């Protein structure tokens, strides 16, 4: 498990920022220079990848529920931790209206893999832990996958335990990925970008169908599924 101090530190960061990265001076101000090609000269200045992951990177999203007019916010920040089980990992702390998700990730070759996820309620109490073996792919940027029409499958095992570590379920999942477009025009409250558009369908072990829009040097600009839309508001 991740050490309690790291999780508390991450939670304190978001409480101190009022649950939104913009309160801590994140990107997206009126003076930001937006690079419509999605390069590293854009408002984030991240590494030149579609899914940049380095310690200190931060994002904030507007989340719109398509079933009703509710609009909430979702914020993410990356830190580093030396985990007793996984070794050195990047910790992504996601704060949203329903609580906090703390994920342990590693970059392996051209992929970012999520190895473990802890879901916590609004007060920070652990609800469940999910372990992904060998890892759930967030995006595979291998050159052969960055062309229109590219398709591939990711297969992994998911093990879920409750708040005290009792097993809840174990099963295999298969995610099917397809590249729908390169240099696709996509927009968000932060600006207009040129994006990689991919679709991820869960074809075994559950139901999930999402489309993602990524801009180089920025990361995820939009995420769309049947129930909601996430749009990038700020990054730093």
């Amino acid at each position: 498990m991740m050490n309690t101090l790291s999780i508390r530190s991450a939670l304190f960061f978001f409480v101190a920022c009022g649950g939104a990265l913009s309160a801590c001076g994140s990107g997206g101000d009126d003076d930001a220079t937006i690079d419509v090609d999605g390069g590293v000269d854009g408002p984030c200045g991240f590494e030149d990848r579609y899914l940049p992951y380095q310690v200190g990177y931060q994002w904030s999203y507007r989340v719109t529920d398509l079933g009703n007019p509710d609009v909430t916010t979702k914020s993410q920040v990356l830190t580093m931790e030396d985990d007793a089980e996984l070794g050195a990992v990047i910790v992504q702390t996601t704060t949203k209206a329903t609580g906090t998700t703390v994920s342990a990730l590693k970059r392996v070759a051209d992929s970012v893999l999520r190895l473990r996820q802890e879901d916590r309620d609004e007060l920070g109490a652990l609800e469940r832990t999910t372990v992904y073996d060998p890892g759930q792919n967030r995006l595979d940027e291998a050159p052969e996958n960055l062309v229109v029409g590219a398709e591939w499958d990711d297969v992994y095992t998911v093990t879920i335990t409750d708040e005290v570590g009792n097993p809840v379920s174990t099963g295999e999942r298969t995610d099917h990925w397809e590249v729908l477009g390169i240099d696709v025009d996509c927009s968000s409250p932060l600006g207009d970008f040129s994006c990689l558009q991919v679709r991820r369908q869960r074809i075994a072990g559950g139901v999930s169908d999402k489309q993602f829009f990524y801009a180089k040097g920025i990361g995820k600009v939009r995420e769309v599924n049947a129930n909601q839309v996430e749009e990038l508001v700020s990054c730093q």
Side-chain angles (χ1 to χ4, degrees), residues 90 119 130:
I90 295 175
D119 292 299
T130 305

Side-chain angles (χ1 to χ4, degrees), residues 137-189:
N137 212 324
R138 311 306 291 160
L139 182 66
D140 187 344
E141 296 187 57
E144 62 270 22
N145 293 337
L146 299 182
V147 295
V148 176
E151 297 184 57
W152 67 95
D153 289 343
D154 286 327
V155 181
Y156 54 97
T157 299
V158 175
T159 302
I160 301 175
T161 55
D162 64 16
E163 69 278 9
V164 294
N166 294 323
V168 175
S169 65
T170 299
E172 188 175 85
R173 289 182 183 172
T174 301
D175 291 339
H176 180 73
W177 293 80
E178 181 181 2
V179 176
L180 302 180
I182 304 289
D183 297 330
V184 174
D185 292 337
C186 64
S187 61
S188 78

Side-chain angles (χ1 to χ4, degrees), residues 15-16 23 62 85 89 91 97 102 110 141 148 215:
V15 171
R62 179 176 69 190
E85 298 176 2
V89 293
V91 178
V102 182
D110 295 304
E141 296 187 57
V148 176

Side-chain angles (χ1 to χ4, degrees), residues 3-19:
N3 68 66
T4 304
L5 179 60
S6 296
I7 295 173
R8 287 179 177 173
S9 298
L11 291 174
F12 174 78
F13 176 90
F14 283 102
V15 171
C17 293

Side-chain angles (χ1 to χ4, degrees), residues 51-169:
L51 188 56
Y53 262 72
Q54 295 287 347
V55 173
Y57 290 178
Q58 305 171 13
W59 297 265
S60 181
Y61 293 91
R62 179 176 69 190
V63 182
T64 304
D65 190 332
L66 300 180
N68 58 59
D70 288 350
V71 177
T72 59
T73 59
K74 171 181 172 179
S75 301
Q76 296 178 328
V77 62
L78 302 183
T79 57
M80 177 65 76
E81 180 173 306
D82 192 9
D83 185 83
E85 298 176 2
L86 303 174
V89 293
I90 295 175
V91 178
Q92 175 182 286
T93 303
T94 302
T95 298
K96 46 190 182 289
T98 55
T100 303
T101 299
V102 182
S103 300
L105 306 106
K106 283 189 177 183
R107 184 177 290 283
V108 179
D110 295 304
S111 299
V112 173
L113 299 179
R114 178 160 60 184
L115 306 177
R116 188 177 60 220
Q117 172 181 314
E118 295 181 352
D119 292 299
R120 297 177 171 267
D121 64 18
E122 295 91 332
L123 299 178
L126 180 64
E127 295 180 319
R128 62 186 169 275
T129 300
T130 305
V131 175
Y132 304 90
D133 183 19
Q136 181 191 41
N137 212 324
R138 311 306 291 160
L139 182 66
D140 187 344
E141 296 187 57
E144 62 270 22
N145 293 337
L146 299 182
V147 295
V148 176
E151 297 184 57
W152 67 95
D153 289 343
D154 286 327
V155 181
Y156 54 97
T157 299
V158 175
T159 302
I160 301 175
T161 55
D162 64 16
E163 69 278 9
V164 294
N166 294 323
V168 175
S169 65

